[in-house]
Amino acid sequence: MSNKNLTIRRIVIFCVLAFLPVIIITPLLNLYYGELLFVSRNAATGAYVFGVLGMLSPALANLLTRLITKEGMGNSYLALNIKGNVRYYAAALLAVVAEIVVAMILLCAVYLNSMSFTEIIPAEGIADKSAIVLFQISYSIIVFFPAFGEEWGWRGYLMPKLSEVMGKPAAVVVGGIIWGLWHAPLTISGHNFGVDHPGYPFVGILLMCVLCVADNAFLTLITDRTGSIYPASFFHMINNNCSALFVLGIFGSVEAVETADSIPPVQAFLTVLMPATLLLGAVSFFLLVRRKGVKAEKVSG
């Protein structure tokens, strides 16, 4: 079997193993609760636990594919590689902050423009509320392993394999779409967008694919530059647990929070959350393409 055919075989095996748990378990949980998992209050705990455990399936698929195809643990991206790469670790954290800041600006400019800044964010209790945000960020450390689970699968295995077959630019797009489609059973069950938006569930699935392509560009960039999966995992863990809407919910006035809560999820996603992600993805994609063939990937065991 040629190297390319073997790589394609490994990609197929990995995708099957990564997709099967969410494809099988999600509808079973919907049936068990008698409601869609992510819109049912009765299923809130089950949805959280399944969401956390489901994020580990790409890592498990990585490990099993290596065992099934006798690939071994070479090029595993498991080394920290901090020396010489501190800037990429910092970039992973700063990118989350930048996305939150841009989203907050858009939220205020588009939906809260009839209110002054002090009406949106009252001055009293700022210090106490800041502690809540720091606690939330610290809490992200608890869910590091689920974030690592996705990153070691998608960026630590799928992306290098796709890049071998089709080159980095195409791999970023295809890998992002695969990642987005992996979320489809969750999106159908109301995750992120609910079920009341026009074009449900196809619009939600499409938006997840666009989001995942953009995020994939940045996450692939910092993984390639460091040869380590950890910067991407840190970005993923904080990004999943701290957003502009969360920050507004902590610091915002009752009126501001109620206004934000009234925005339909798809609309909020398109106008507030997506622009910064698309910008980050576009810059990252440009850097990946520009450096193509100039600097080899630094891959560590």
Side-chain angles (χ1 to χ4, degrees):
M1 184 180 295
S2 69
N3 288 338
K4 184 174 182 179
N5 288 339
L6 178 58
T7 300
I8 292 172
R9 178 170 174 261
R10 285 171 171 157
I11 290 171
V12 172
I13 292 172
F14 168 83
C15 288
V16 169
L17 293 173
F19 273 71
L20 274 179
V22 292
I23 290 175
I24 294 173
I25 297 175
T26 308
L28 289 177
L29 288 174
N30 290 337
L31 287 173
Y32 174 79
Y33 287 105
E35 298 177 277
L36 292 178
L37 190 60
F38 293 96
V39 296
S40 169
R41 293 183 179 179
N42 296 327
T45 301
Y48 177 80
V49 172
F50 173 60
V52 169
L53 294 178
M55 292 173 69
L56 295 173
S57 64
L60 182 60
N62 179 346
L63 183 60
L64 290 176
T65 303
R66 290 175 182 273
L67 292 174
I68 291 170
T69 64
K70 300 179 180 180
E71 182 178 358
M73 294 302 294
N75 299 341
S76 64
Y77 290 83
L78 290 176
L80 283 170
N81 291 345
I82 295 177
K83 185 177 180 180
N85 291 311
V86 172
R87 64 188 183 278
Y88 294 112
Y89 277 85
L93 301 179
L94 291 175
V96 179
V97 175
E99 286 191 341
I100 292 174
V101 170
V102 171
M104 282 292 294
I105 292 171
L106 290 172
L107 180 62
C108 293
V110 176
Y111 297 105
L112 305 174
N113 51 43
S114 62
M115 304 170 64
S116 68
F117 181 78
T118 54
E119 289 175 323
I120 297 172
I121 301 179
E124 60 270 14
I126 289 290
D128 294 336
K129 294 174 180 177
S130 298
I132 297 175
V133 174
L134 292 175
F135 173 80
Q136 182 72 6
I137 294 174
S138 300
Y139 169 75
S140 297
I141 297 173
I142 298 174
V143 293
F144 168 78
F145 290 103
F148 168 84
E150 281 205 55
E151 292 308 315
W152 195 44
W154 305 125
R155 258 60 62 181
Y157 194 81
L158 179 63
M159 284 305 301
K161 293 293 184 288
L162 287 176
S163 299
E164 288 180 31
V165 173
M166 60 186 66
K168 190 72 67 182
V172 168
V173 176
V174 173
I177 291 172
I178 291 173
W179 185 25
L181 292 176
W182 177 81
H183 289 86
L186 311 181
T187 304
I188 293 170
S189 300
H191 188 49
N192 288 326
F193 307 110
V195 297
D196 298 327
H197 59 83
Y200 163 83
F202 303 106
V203 168
I205 293 172
L206 175 62
L207 290 177
M208 279 305 300
C209 288
V210 173
L211 173 70
C212 287
V213 169
D215 273 341
N216 192 34
F218 175 69
L219 295 169
T220 298
L221 176 69
I222 59 177
T223 301
D224 282 2
R225 294 293 186 267
T226 61
S228 172
I229 206 61
Y230 298 106
S233 299
F234 292 139
F235 174 90
H236 199 144
M237 81 175 182
I238 298 176
N239 190 56
N240 276 19
N241 288 280
C242 195
S243 67
L245 296 177
F246 169 79
V247 172
L248 181 67
I250 299 299
F251 293 102
S253 64
V254 172
E255 182 183 356
V257 173
E258 288 179 347
T259 300
D261 287 343
S262 69
I263 306 170
V266 168
Q267 185 176 325
F269 186 81
L270 287 171
T271 57
V272 175
L273 303 177
M274 181 69 89
T277 301
L278 290 178
L279 178 60
L280 179 65
V283 172
S284 301
F285 189 83
F286 169 77
L287 292 174
L288 280 168
V289 172
R290 189 187 68 169
R291 295 287 292 272
K292 181 183 178 184
V294 176
K295 180 179 180 181
E297 294 179 3
K298 295 187 289 182
V299 180
S300 286

